[in-house]
Amino acid sequence: MAHPLIRIGAPLAVGAIAAVGAIVGATLSRERQRLELEPTARPLAVEGWWSSDASSSLAHAHPAVLIVDADTAQLVDSWDRRTRSRVAHPVVRRTPEWPAAGLLVVDAATGDLLTVVGARGDAGMPAI
């Protein structure tokens, strides 16, 4: 005959181990799904701090950006770091501070000028 504590303790221990296993399994599954996000369907027009996943104060302050042709004020591309995809409904708001030529990196929410890129592929530096 088994000891009464074993009759009570064994099912509780098995249940606790199963619960911990389920929690660990769910966590690993979510982490795997997060890491398996699809890359962009096409490369961005220009790459820089605005398109990286690395932490930076500028990237956190401006998570969604538009890349705009200064000559025509036409949208060239966009990127939202929060969703790792293009900006859903981009709206270009031209401001007087924009230069006359080049590609501009503009905050998608406010329209603030963040960077002027001389030509496609030129990394550009923040205009701060």
Side-chain angles (χ1 to χ4, degrees), residues 32-120:
R32 195 173 310 117
Q33 288 174 350
R34 185 185 68 79
L35 294 175
E36 292 174 357
L37 290 174
E38 294 288 324
T40 60
R42 59 183 167 80
L44 294 174
V46 289
E47 301 282 333
W49 62 263
W50 55 86
S51 61
S52 68
D53 288 329
S55 297
S56 78
S57 59
L58 288 171
H60 288 288
H62 309 286
V65 296
L66 305 177
I67 301 169
V68 178
D69 182 4
D71 297 326
T72 62
Q74 293 293 314
L75 180 69
V76 174
D77 213 341
S78 65
W79 186 248
D80 190 337
R81 289 171 40 92
R82 297 167 294 201
T83 61
R84 294 181 62 180
S85 63
R86 298 321 199 259
V87 175
H89 302 287
V91 176
V92 177
R93 297 177 192 92
R94 186 178 200 117
T95 63
E97 66 185 16
W98 286 11
L103 291 178
L104 311 176
V105 178
V106 180
D107 185 279
T110 64
D112 293 340
L113 177 64
L114 304 176
T115 302
V116 178
V117 182
R120 289 181 188 262

